[in-house]
Amino acid sequence: MRKSTLTIYLPQETFEQAKIAAVKADMSFSDLARGCVLAMIGAKTFDQQLPKPHNDNKTMIYLTENEKTKIKLFAANQSTTLSQLIYQALERYMTEKIELPPKRKKQPEKKERSKPEHLTREKYTYHLTEDNSKTLRIISAKTGKTRTQLILDALKNSADNDILETDLSQPFSERSSMNLSREELSSLKEKAERLNLTLFELFNRALKLYY
């Protein structure tokens, strides 16, 4: 099974208590978080009315691609973040001691080869409309494609004239980021400049048009 990761943010207190709970349950924090959220999804007990957690602590959990797709799709359909979903699952486990799915057997990890320098990518931060952001969450969860892939697909398959004729009524309120090579970013900037648009406008018009 192909392994993947999810990056989440948790309140400091929840993170510390969950690490202790994982030790008591004889499992890793990652396996505890994975098991808790899958159990909550299966029981359909996520409560949208509960407040969002503080983003004090950045951490990562390991899981399979199928598990990741299932979790991301559930979060998208509930219009919530992965952090809020996993935070609520961990809190529920620690207060109610729900039964978790069985632990997955550990498999030896393969070492990744270092990437050549010309493939090095840099982080680029951009903003989307609320509708475009939600659309990408759902399509990404269903297809397994990253937001970057979906945006590049939209740009590649949308004619310039159609992009220019697409109106945007919402502000760019949703922040996200992508990793691009210098060549890719330069190409996108050239396209935006040719159409007399900002990159934010280019991305959002193409997304609204294509999806």
PDB file of all heavy atoms in Angstrom, residues 58-94:
ATOM      1  N   LYS A  58       1.987  22.385  14.847  1.00  0.00           N
ATOM      2  CA  LYS A  58       1.975  21.737  13.531  1.00  0.00           C
ATOM      3  C   LYS A  58       2.537  20.326  13.659  1.00  0.00           C
ATOM      4  O   LYS A  58       3.598  20.122  14.247  1.00  0.00           O
ATOM      5  CB  LYS A  58       2.813  22.545  12.543  1.00  0.00           C
ATOM      6  CG  LYS A  58       2.865  21.955  11.133  1.00  0.00           C
ATOM      7  CD  LYS A  58       3.718  22.829  10.237  1.00  0.00           C
ATOM      8  CE  LYS A  58       3.809  22.249   8.823  1.00  0.00           C
ATOM      9  NZ  LYS A  58       4.659  23.104   7.940  1.00  0.00           N
ATOM     10  N   THR A  59       1.812  19.351  13.125  1.00  0.00           N
ATOM     11  CA  THR A  59       2.296  17.978  13.171  1.00  0.00           C
ATOM     12  C   THR A  59       1.857  17.242  11.911  1.00  0.00           C
ATOM     13  O   THR A  59       1.163  17.812  11.058  1.00  0.00           O
ATOM     14  CB  THR A  59       1.802  17.252  14.439  1.00  0.00           C
ATOM     15  OG1 THR A  59       2.450  15.974  14.531  1.00  0.00           O
ATOM     16  CG2 THR A  59       0.298  17.039  14.424  1.00  0.00           C
ATOM     17  N   MET A  60       2.222  15.978  11.822  1.00  0.00           N
ATOM     18  CA  MET A  60       1.937  15.212  10.614  1.00  0.00           C
ATOM     19  C   MET A  60       1.527  13.794  10.999  1.00  0.00           C
ATOM     20  O   MET A  60       2.013  13.241  11.986  1.00  0.00           O
ATOM     21  CB  MET A  60       3.201  15.178   9.739  1.00  0.00           C
ATOM     22  CG  MET A  60       3.032  14.495   8.406  1.00  0.00           C
ATOM     23  SD  MET A  60       4.625  14.484   7.511  1.00  0.00           S
ATOM     24  CE  MET A  60       4.860  16.235   7.222  1.00  0.00           C
ATOM     25  N   ILE A  61       0.590  13.223  10.254  1.00  0.00           N
ATOM     26  CA  ILE A  61       0.220  11.820  10.471  1.00  0.00           C
ATOM     27  C   ILE A  61       0.458  11.042   9.181  1.00  0.00           C
ATOM     28  O   ILE A  61       0.382  11.594   8.082  1.00  0.00           O
ATOM     29  CB  ILE A  61      -1.244  11.661  10.939  1.00  0.00           C
ATOM     30  CG1 ILE A  61      -2.235  12.096   9.854  1.00  0.00           C
ATOM     31  CG2 ILE A  61      -1.490  12.434  12.219  1.00  0.00           C
ATOM     32  CD1 ILE A  61      -3.676  11.788  10.209  1.00  0.00           C
ATOM     33  N   TYR A  62       0.763   9.759   9.340  1.00  0.00           N
ATOM     34  CA  TYR A  62       1.044   8.882   8.206  1.00  0.00           C
ATOM     35  C   TYR A  62      -0.135   7.940   7.986  1.00  0.00           C
ATOM     36  O   TYR A  62      -0.705   7.404   8.940  1.00  0.00           O
ATOM     37  CB  TYR A  62       2.316   8.074   8.475  1.00  0.00           C
ATOM     38  CG  TYR A  62       3.546   8.939   8.614  1.00  0.00           C
ATOM     39  CD1 TYR A  62       3.887   9.483   9.858  1.00  0.00           C
ATOM     40  CD2 TYR A  62       4.345   9.230   7.522  1.00  0.00           C
ATOM     41  CE1 TYR A  62       5.011  10.294   9.989  1.00  0.00           C
ATOM     42  CE2 TYR A  62       5.472  10.041   7.648  1.00  0.00           C
ATOM     43  CZ  TYR A  62       5.782  10.569   8.884  1.00  0.00           C
ATOM     44  OH  TYR A  62       6.886  11.374   9.004  1.00  0.00           O
ATOM     45  N   LEU A  63      -0.480   7.727   6.734  1.00  0.00           N
ATOM     46  CA  LEU A  63      -1.628   6.884   6.389  1.00  0.00           C
ATOM     47  C   LEU A  63      -1.518   6.462   4.933  1.00  0.00           C
ATOM     48  O   LEU A  63      -0.619   6.886   4.221  1.00  0.00           O
ATOM     49  CB  LEU A  63      -2.927   7.640   6.644  1.00  0.00           C
ATOM     50  CG  LEU A  63      -3.274   8.884   5.803  1.00  0.00           C
ATOM     51  CD1 LEU A  63      -4.625   9.444   6.242  1.00  0.00           C
ATOM     52  CD2 LEU A  63      -2.262  10.001   5.883  1.00  0.00           C
ATOM     53  N   THR A  64      -2.435   5.602   4.509  1.00  0.00           N
ATOM     54  CA  THR A  64      -2.411   5.169   3.109  1.00  0.00           C
ATOM     55  C   THR A  64      -3.120   6.206   2.238  1.00  0.00           C
ATOM     56  O   THR A  64      -3.865   7.056   2.730  1.00  0.00           O
ATOM     57  CB  THR A  64      -3.113   3.817   2.941  1.00  0.00           C
ATOM     58  OG1 THR A  64      -4.516   3.974   3.221  1.00  0.00           O
ATOM     59  CG2 THR A  64      -2.536   2.768   3.869  1.00  0.00           C
ATOM     60  N   GLU A  65      -2.908   6.115   0.933  1.00  0.00           N
ATOM     61  CA  GLU A  65      -3.565   7.034  -0.002  1.00  0.00           C
ATOM     62  C   GLU A  65      -5.084   6.890   0.079  1.00  0.00           C
ATOM     63  O   GLU A  65      -5.821   7.884   0.010  1.00  0.00           O
ATOM     64  CB  GLU A  65      -3.100   6.752  -1.433  1.00  0.00           C
ATOM     65  CG  GLU A  65      -1.722   7.280  -1.761  1.00  0.00           C
ATOM     66  CD  GLU A  65      -1.686   8.796  -1.901  1.00  0.00           C
ATOM     67  OE1 GLU A  65      -2.753   9.423  -1.863  1.00  0.00           O
ATOM     68  OE2 GLU A  65      -0.580   9.352  -2.034  1.00  0.00           O
ATOM     69  N   ASN A  66      -5.581   5.654   0.235  1.00  0.00           N
ATOM     70  CA  ASN A  66      -7.029   5.437   0.336  1.00  0.00           C
ATOM     71  C   ASN A  66      -7.601   6.094   1.588  1.00  0.00           C
ATOM     72  O   ASN A  66      -8.676   6.705   1.555  1.00  0.00           O
ATOM     73  CB  ASN A  66      -7.348   3.936   0.337  1.00  0.00           C
ATOM     74  CG  ASN A  66      -7.173   3.310  -1.030  1.00  0.00           C
ATOM     75  OD1 ASN A  66      -7.155   4.011  -2.040  1.00  0.00           O
ATOM     76  ND2 ASN A  66      -7.040   1.996  -1.069  1.00  0.00           N
ATOM     77  N   GLU A  67      -6.880   5.962   2.708  1.00  0.00           N
ATOM     78  CA  GLU A  67      -7.329   6.592   3.954  1.00  0.00           C
ATOM     79  C   GLU A  67      -7.314   8.111   3.823  1.00  0.00           C
ATOM     80  O   GLU A  67      -8.240   8.799   4.270  1.00  0.00           O
ATOM     81  CB  GLU A  67      -6.433   6.143   5.107  1.00  0.00           C
ATOM     82  CG  GLU A  67      -6.616   4.685   5.486  1.00  0.00           C
ATOM     83  CD  GLU A  67      -5.524   4.177   6.415  1.00  0.00           C
ATOM     84  OE1 GLU A  67      -4.450   4.809   6.492  1.00  0.00           O
ATOM     85  OE2 GLU A  67      -5.741   3.130   7.063  1.00  0.00           O
ATOM     86  N   LYS A  68      -6.274   8.636   3.205  1.00  0.00           N
ATOM     87  CA  LYS A  68      -6.160  10.080   3.008  1.00  0.00           C
ATOM     88  C   LYS A  68      -7.310  10.604   2.161  1.00  0.00           C
ATOM     89  O   LYS A  68      -7.929  11.631   2.477  1.00  0.00           O
ATOM     90  CB  LYS A  68      -4.823  10.406   2.341  1.00  0.00           C
ATOM     91  CG  LYS A  68      -4.588  11.892   2.114  1.00  0.00           C
ATOM     92  CD  LYS A  68      -3.199  12.120   1.532  1.00  0.00           C
ATOM     93  CE  LYS A  68      -2.924  13.591   1.308  1.00  0.00           C
ATOM     94  NZ  LYS A  68      -1.541  13.810   0.771  1.00  0.00           N
ATOM     95  N   THR A  69      -7.623   9.893   1.076  1.00  0.00           N
ATOM     96  CA  THR A  69      -8.732  10.305   0.200  1.00  0.00           C
ATOM     97  C   THR A  69     -10.055  10.291   0.960  1.00  0.00           C
ATOM     98  O   THR A  69     -10.865  11.215   0.842  1.00  0.00           O
ATOM     99  CB  THR A  69      -8.819   9.366  -1.021  1.00  0.00           C
ATOM    100  OG1 THR A  69      -7.599   9.474  -1.773  1.00  0.00           O
ATOM    101  CG2 THR A  69      -9.990   9.738  -1.915  1.00  0.00           C
ATOM    102  N   LYS A  70     -10.269   9.248   1.751  1.00  0.00           N
ATOM    103  CA  LYS A  70     -11.507   9.135   2.522  1.00  0.00           C
ATOM    104  C   LYS A  70     -11.654  10.285   3.507  1.00  0.00           C
ATOM    105  O   LYS A  70     -12.732  10.890   3.637  1.00  0.00           O
ATOM    106  CB  LYS A  70     -11.528   7.795   3.265  1.00  0.00           C
ATOM    107  CG  LYS A  70     -12.809   7.533   4.048  1.00  0.00           C
ATOM    108  CD  LYS A  70     -12.775   6.136   4.673  1.00  0.00           C
ATOM    109  CE  LYS A  70     -14.068   5.839   5.412  1.00  0.00           C
ATOM    110  NZ  LYS A  70     -14.050   4.465   5.989  1.00  0.00           N
ATOM    111  N   ILE A  71     -10.582  10.615   4.206  1.00  0.00           N
ATOM    112  CA  ILE A  71     -10.610  11.689   5.205  1.00  0.00           C
ATOM    113  C   ILE A  71     -10.805  13.044   4.540  1.00  0.00           C
ATOM    114  O   ILE A  71     -11.611  13.870   4.990  1.00  0.00           O
ATOM    115  CB  ILE A  71      -9.317  11.668   6.042  1.00  0.00           C
ATOM    116  CG1 ILE A  71      -9.274  10.393   6.898  1.00  0.00           C
ATOM    117  CG2 ILE A  71      -9.229  12.896   6.939  1.00  0.00           C
ATOM    118  CD1 ILE A  71      -7.931  10.146   7.570  1.00  0.00           C
ATOM    119  N   LYS A  72     -10.080  13.305   3.452  1.00  0.00           N
ATOM    120  CA  LYS A  72     -10.188  14.589   2.764  1.00  0.00           C
ATOM    121  C   LYS A  72     -11.574  14.784   2.160  1.00  0.00           C
ATOM    122  O   LYS A  72     -12.125  15.883   2.195  1.00  0.00           O
ATOM    123  CB  LYS A  72      -9.115  14.697   1.681  1.00  0.00           C
ATOM    124  CG  LYS A  72      -7.706  14.852   2.213  1.00  0.00           C
ATOM    125  CD  LYS A  72      -6.691  14.942   1.090  1.00  0.00           C
ATOM    126  CE  LYS A  72      -6.834  16.227   0.308  1.00  0.00           C
ATOM    127  NZ  LYS A  72      -5.764  16.343  -0.722  1.00  0.00           N
ATOM    128  N   LEU A  73     -12.147  13.715   1.615  1.00  0.00           N
ATOM    129  CA  LEU A  73     -13.479  13.817   1.029  1.00  0.00           C
ATOM    130  C   LEU A  73     -14.526  14.098   2.103  1.00  0.00           C
ATOM    131  O   LEU A  73     -15.434  14.916   1.916  1.00  0.00           O
ATOM    132  CB  LEU A  73     -13.820  12.519   0.279  1.00  0.00           C
ATOM    133  CG  LEU A  73     -15.168  12.498  -0.451  1.00  0.00           C
ATOM    134  CD1 LEU A  73     -15.249  13.646  -1.453  1.00  0.00           C
ATOM    135  CD2 LEU A  73     -15.367  11.169  -1.173  1.00  0.00           C
ATOM    136  N   PHE A  74     -14.397  13.428   3.254  1.00  0.00           N
ATOM    137  CA  PHE A  74     -15.333  13.661   4.349  1.00  0.00           C
ATOM    138  C   PHE A  74     -15.230  15.112   4.829  1.00  0.00           C
ATOM    139  O   PHE A  74     -16.246  15.785   5.042  1.00  0.00           O
ATOM    140  CB  PHE A  74     -15.038  12.704   5.504  1.00  0.00           C
ATOM    141  CG  PHE A  74     -16.001  12.816   6.653  1.00  0.00           C
ATOM    142  CD1 PHE A  74     -17.212  12.137   6.634  1.00  0.00           C
ATOM    143  CD2 PHE A  74     -15.722  13.612   7.749  1.00  0.00           C
ATOM    144  CE1 PHE A  74     -18.115  12.240   7.687  1.00  0.00           C
ATOM    145  CE2 PHE A  74     -16.610  13.727   8.813  1.00  0.00           C
ATOM    146  CZ  PHE A  74     -17.810  13.041   8.773  1.00  0.00           C
ATOM    147  N   ALA A  75     -14.010  15.608   4.995  1.00  0.00           N
ATOM    148  CA  ALA A  75     -13.807  16.991   5.444  1.00  0.00           C
ATOM    149  C   ALA A  75     -14.396  17.977   4.443  1.00  0.00           C
ATOM    150  O   ALA A  75     -15.033  18.961   4.821  1.00  0.00           O
ATOM    151  CB  ALA A  75     -12.320  17.260   5.650  1.00  0.00           C
ATOM    152  N   ALA A  76     -14.187  17.704   3.155  1.00  0.00           N
ATOM    153  CA  ALA A  76     -14.716  18.598   2.129  1.00  0.00           C
ATOM    154  C   ALA A  76     -16.245  18.625   2.144  1.00  0.00           C
ATOM    155  O   ALA A  76     -16.870  19.684   2.040  1.00  0.00           O
ATOM    156  CB  ALA A  76     -14.213  18.160   0.750  1.00  0.00           C
ATOM    157  N   ASN A  77     -16.858  17.454   2.295  1.00  0.00           N
ATOM    158  CA  ASN A  77     -18.326  17.393   2.314  1.00  0.00           C
ATOM    159  C   ASN A  77     -18.909  18.042   3.562  1.00  0.00           C
ATOM    160  O   ASN A  77     -20.062  18.497   3.553  1.00  0.00           O
ATOM    161  CB  ASN A  77     -18.782  15.929   2.218  1.00  0.00           C
ATOM    162  CG  ASN A  77     -18.606  15.365   0.825  1.00  0.00           C
ATOM    163  OD1 ASN A  77     -18.673  16.089  -0.166  1.00  0.00           O
ATOM    164  ND2 ASN A  77     -18.369  14.077   0.727  1.00  0.00           N
ATOM    165  N   GLN A  78     -18.117  18.088   4.638  1.00  0.00           N
ATOM    166  CA  GLN A  78     -18.577  18.719   5.871  1.00  0.00           C
ATOM    167  C   GLN A  78     -18.177  20.197   5.943  1.00  0.00           C
ATOM    168  O   GLN A  78     -18.480  20.879   6.919  1.00  0.00           O
ATOM    169  CB  GLN A  78     -17.970  17.986   7.085  1.00  0.00           C
ATOM    170  CG  GLN A  78     -18.431  16.551   7.242  1.00  0.00           C
ATOM    171  CD  GLN A  78     -19.901  16.434   7.582  1.00  0.00           C
ATOM    172  OE1 GLN A  78     -20.445  17.274   8.288  1.00  0.00           O
ATOM    173  NE2 GLN A  78     -20.553  15.406   7.082  1.00  0.00           N
ATOM    174  N   SER A  79     -17.490  20.678   4.895  1.00  0.00           N
ATOM    175  CA  SER A  79     -17.003  22.066   4.839  1.00  0.00           C
ATOM    176  C   SER A  79     -16.167  22.413   6.078  1.00  0.00           C
ATOM    177  O   SER A  79     -16.340  23.465   6.692  1.00  0.00           O
ATOM    178  CB  SER A  79     -18.175  23.056   4.705  1.00  0.00           C
ATOM    179  OG  SER A  79     -18.856  22.848   3.501  1.00  0.00           O
ATOM    180  N   THR A  80     -15.302  21.492   6.441  1.00  0.00           N
ATOM    181  CA  THR A  80     -14.432  21.716   7.591  1.00  0.00           C
ATOM    182  C   THR A  80     -12.985  21.476   7.193  1.00  0.00           C
ATOM    183  O   THR A  80     -12.700  21.020   6.082  1.00  0.00           O
ATOM    184  CB  THR A  80     -14.812  20.792   8.764  1.00  0.00           C
ATOM    185  OG1 THR A  80     -14.119  21.204   9.937  1.00  0.00           O
ATOM    186  CG2 THR A  80     -14.462  19.335   8.475  1.00  0.00           C
ATOM    187  N   THR A  81     -12.073  21.807   8.091  1.00  0.00           N
ATOM    188  CA  THR A  81     -10.652  21.584   7.816  1.00  0.00           C
ATOM    189  C   THR A  81     -10.218  20.224   8.352  1.00  0.00           C
ATOM    190  O   THR A  81     -10.856  19.655   9.248  1.00  0.00           O
ATOM    191  CB  THR A  81      -9.793  22.673   8.483  1.00  0.00           C
ATOM    192  OG1 THR A  81      -9.942  22.572   9.909  1.00  0.00           O
ATOM    193  CG2 THR A  81     -10.224  24.061   8.029  1.00  0.00           C
ATOM    194  N   LEU A  82      -9.122  19.723   7.839  1.00  0.00           N
ATOM    195  CA  LEU A  82      -8.569  18.464   8.338  1.00  0.00           C
ATOM    196  C   LEU A  82      -8.172  18.597   9.806  1.00  0.00           C
ATOM    197  O   LEU A  82      -8.357  17.674  10.593  1.00  0.00           O
ATOM    198  CB  LEU A  82      -7.353  18.057   7.510  1.00  0.00           C
ATOM    199  CG  LEU A  82      -7.621  17.713   6.040  1.00  0.00           C
ATOM    200  CD1 LEU A  82      -6.314  17.546   5.297  1.00  0.00           C
ATOM    201  CD2 LEU A  82      -8.457  16.452   5.924  1.00  0.00           C
ATOM    202  N   SER A  83      -7.659  19.776  10.175  1.00  0.00           N
ATOM    203  CA  SER A  83      -7.252  19.994  11.565  1.00  0.00           C
ATOM    204  C   SER A  83      -8.443  19.911  12.514  1.00  0.00           C
ATOM    205  O   SER A  83      -8.369  19.284  13.570  1.00  0.00           O
ATOM    206  CB  SER A  83      -6.571  21.361  11.704  1.00  0.00           C
ATOM    207  OG  SER A  83      -5.374  21.401  10.968  1.00  0.00           O
ATOM    208  N   GLN A  84      -9.548  20.560  12.132  1.00  0.00           N
ATOM    209  CA  GLN A  84     -10.724  20.532  13.004  1.00  0.00           C
ATOM    210  C   GLN A  84     -11.283  19.118  13.112  1.00  0.00           C
ATOM    211  O   GLN A  84     -11.699  18.677  14.190  1.00  0.00           O
ATOM    212  CB  GLN A  84     -11.806  21.473  12.475  1.00  0.00           C
ATOM    213  CG  GLN A  84     -13.030  21.548  13.408  1.00  0.00           C
ATOM    214  CD  GLN A  84     -14.068  22.548  12.925  1.00  0.00           C
ATOM    215  OE1 GLN A  84     -13.979  23.060  11.826  1.00  0.00           O
ATOM    216  NE2 GLN A  84     -15.059  22.816  13.753  1.00  0.00           N
ATOM    217  N   LEU A  85     -11.263  18.403  12.001  1.00  0.00           N
ATOM    218  CA  LEU A  85     -11.785  17.036  11.985  1.00  0.00           C
ATOM    219  C   LEU A  85     -10.980  16.125  12.911  1.00  0.00           C
ATOM    220  O   LEU A  85     -11.541  15.417  13.756  1.00  0.00           O
ATOM    221  CB  LEU A  85     -11.744  16.505  10.548  1.00  0.00           C
ATOM    222  CG  LEU A  85     -12.353  15.129  10.293  1.00  0.00           C
ATOM    223  CD1 LEU A  85     -13.841  15.132  10.563  1.00  0.00           C
ATOM    224  CD2 LEU A  85     -12.077  14.697   8.853  1.00  0.00           C
ATOM    225  N   ILE A  86      -9.665  16.170  12.800  1.00  0.00           N
ATOM    226  CA  ILE A  86      -8.814  15.289  13.597  1.00  0.00           C
ATOM    227  C   ILE A  86      -8.771  15.740  15.055  1.00  0.00           C
ATOM    228  O   ILE A  86      -8.727  14.913  15.979  1.00  0.00           O
ATOM    229  CB  ILE A  86      -7.413  15.207  12.974  1.00  0.00           C
ATOM    230  CG1 ILE A  86      -7.521  14.508  11.602  1.00  0.00           C
ATOM    231  CG2 ILE A  86      -6.445  14.453  13.881  1.00  0.00           C
ATOM    232  CD1 ILE A  86      -6.254  14.474  10.796  1.00  0.00           C
ATOM    233  N   TYR A  87      -8.803  17.045  15.285  1.00  0.00           N
ATOM    234  CA  TYR A  87      -8.873  17.567  16.657  1.00  0.00           C
ATOM    235  C   TYR A  87     -10.105  17.018  17.372  1.00  0.00           C
ATOM    236  O   TYR A  87     -10.023  16.518  18.497  1.00  0.00           O
ATOM    237  CB  TYR A  87      -8.913  19.091  16.626  1.00  0.00           C
ATOM    238  CG  TYR A  87      -9.460  19.724  17.886  1.00  0.00           C
ATOM    239  CD1 TYR A  87      -8.701  19.783  19.052  1.00  0.00           C
ATOM    240  CD2 TYR A  87     -10.744  20.268  17.908  1.00  0.00           C
ATOM    241  CE1 TYR A  87      -9.206  20.370  20.207  1.00  0.00           C
ATOM    242  CE2 TYR A  87     -11.253  20.854  19.054  1.00  0.00           C
ATOM    243  CZ  TYR A  87     -10.480  20.903  20.205  1.00  0.00           C
ATOM    244  OH  TYR A  87     -10.996  21.479  21.337  1.00  0.00           O
ATOM    245  N   GLN A  88     -11.254  17.094  16.708  1.00  0.00           N
ATOM    246  CA  GLN A  88     -12.490  16.620  17.337  1.00  0.00           C
ATOM    247  C   GLN A  88     -12.453  15.108  17.564  1.00  0.00           C
ATOM    248  O   GLN A  88     -12.934  14.605  18.586  1.00  0.00           O
ATOM    249  CB  GLN A  88     -13.692  16.997  16.457  1.00  0.00           C
ATOM    250  CG  GLN A  88     -15.016  16.928  17.190  1.00  0.00           C
ATOM    251  CD  GLN A  88     -16.187  17.432  16.356  1.00  0.00           C
ATOM    252  OE1 GLN A  88     -17.180  16.741  16.183  1.00  0.00           O
ATOM    253  NE2 GLN A  88     -16.072  18.646  15.838  1.00  0.00           N
ATOM    254  N   ALA A  89     -11.844  14.377  16.628  1.00  0.00           N
ATOM    255  CA  ALA A  89     -11.735  12.917  16.774  1.00  0.00           C
ATOM    256  C   ALA A  89     -10.856  12.548  17.964  1.00  0.00           C
ATOM    257  O   ALA A  89     -11.183  11.640  18.737  1.00  0.00           O
ATOM    258  CB  ALA A  89     -11.181  12.310  15.485  1.00  0.00           C
ATOM    259  N   LEU A  90      -9.742  13.246  18.132  1.00  0.00           N
ATOM    260  CA  LEU A  90      -8.844  12.964  19.254  1.00  0.00           C
ATOM    261  C   LEU A  90      -9.497  13.307  20.586  1.00  0.00           C
ATOM    262  O   LEU A  90      -9.392  12.540  21.556  1.00  0.00           O
ATOM    263  CB  LEU A  90      -7.542  13.761  19.098  1.00  0.00           C
ATOM    264  CG  LEU A  90      -6.573  13.272  18.023  1.00  0.00           C
ATOM    265  CD1 LEU A  90      -5.467  14.294  17.808  1.00  0.00           C
ATOM    266  CD2 LEU A  90      -5.988  11.919  18.407  1.00  0.00           C
ATOM    267  N   GLU A  91     -10.168  14.448  20.653  1.00  0.00           N
ATOM    268  CA  GLU A  91     -10.843  14.849  21.884  1.00  0.00           C
ATOM    269  C   GLU A  91     -11.930  13.847  22.251  1.00  0.00           C
ATOM    270  O   GLU A  91     -12.122  13.506  23.425  1.00  0.00           O
ATOM    271  CB  GLU A  91     -11.440  16.252  21.724  1.00  0.00           C
ATOM    272  CG  GLU A  91     -10.414  17.373  21.738  1.00  0.00           C
ATOM    273  CD  GLU A  91      -9.819  17.591  23.120  1.00  0.00           C
ATOM    274  OE1 GLU A  91     -10.430  17.184  24.106  1.00  0.00           O
ATOM    275  OE2 GLU A  91      -8.717  18.180  23.202  1.00  0.00           O
ATOM    276  N   ARG A  92     -12.640  13.366  21.257  1.00  0.00           N
ATOM    277  CA  ARG A  92     -13.708  12.391  21.510  1.00  0.00           C
ATOM    278  C   ARG A  92     -13.120  11.085  22.050  1.00  0.00           C
ATOM    279  O   ARG A  92     -13.660  10.472  22.970  1.00  0.00           O
ATOM    280  CB  ARG A  92     -14.486  12.129  20.222  1.00  0.00           C
ATOM    281  CG  ARG A  92     -15.632  11.133  20.383  1.00  0.00           C
ATOM    282  CD  ARG A  92     -16.550  11.150  19.181  1.00  0.00           C
ATOM    283  NE  ARG A  92     -17.520  10.080  19.272  1.00  0.00           N
ATOM    284  CZ  ARG A  92     -17.420   8.918  18.628  1.00  0.00           C
ATOM    285  NH1 ARG A  92     -16.405   8.700  17.828  1.00  0.00           N
ATOM    286  NH2 ARG A  92     -18.335   7.982  18.760  1.00  0.00           N
ATOM    287  N   TYR A  93     -11.994  10.661  21.482  1.00  0.00           N
ATOM    288  CA  TYR A  93     -11.357   9.434  21.958  1.00  0.00           C
ATOM    289  C   TYR A  93     -10.920   9.576  23.413  1.00  0.00           C
ATOM    290  O   TYR A  93     -11.125   8.680  24.232  1.00  0.00           O
ATOM    291  CB  TYR A  93     -10.150   9.093  21.090  1.00  0.00           C
ATOM    292  CG  TYR A  93      -9.287   7.987  21.665  1.00  0.00           C
ATOM    293  CD1 TYR A  93      -9.676   6.660  21.550  1.00  0.00           C
ATOM    294  CD2 TYR A  93      -8.103   8.282  22.335  1.00  0.00           C
ATOM    295  CE1 TYR A  93      -8.914   5.643  22.088  1.00  0.00           C
ATOM    296  CE2 TYR A  93      -7.326   7.271  22.881  1.00  0.00           C
ATOM    297  CZ  TYR A  93      -7.730   5.954  22.756  1.00  0.00           C
ATOM    298  OH  TYR A  93      -6.971   4.953  23.296  1.00  0.00           O
ATOM    299  N   MET A  94     -10.329  10.712  23.735  1.00  0.00           N
ATOM    300  CA  MET A  94      -9.776  10.895  25.078  1.00  0.00           C
ATOM    301  C   MET A  94     -10.855  11.082  26.150  1.00  0.00           C
ATOM    302  O   MET A  94     -10.610  10.849  27.322  1.00  0.00           O
ATOM    303  CB  MET A  94      -8.801  12.084  25.078  1.00  0.00           C
ATOM    304  CG  MET A  94      -7.518  11.778  24.314  1.00  0.00           C
ATOM    305  SD  MET A  94      -6.253  13.075  24.412  1.00  0.00           S
ATOM    306  CE  MET A  94      -6.983  14.379  23.431  1.00  0.00           C
TER     307      MET A  94
END
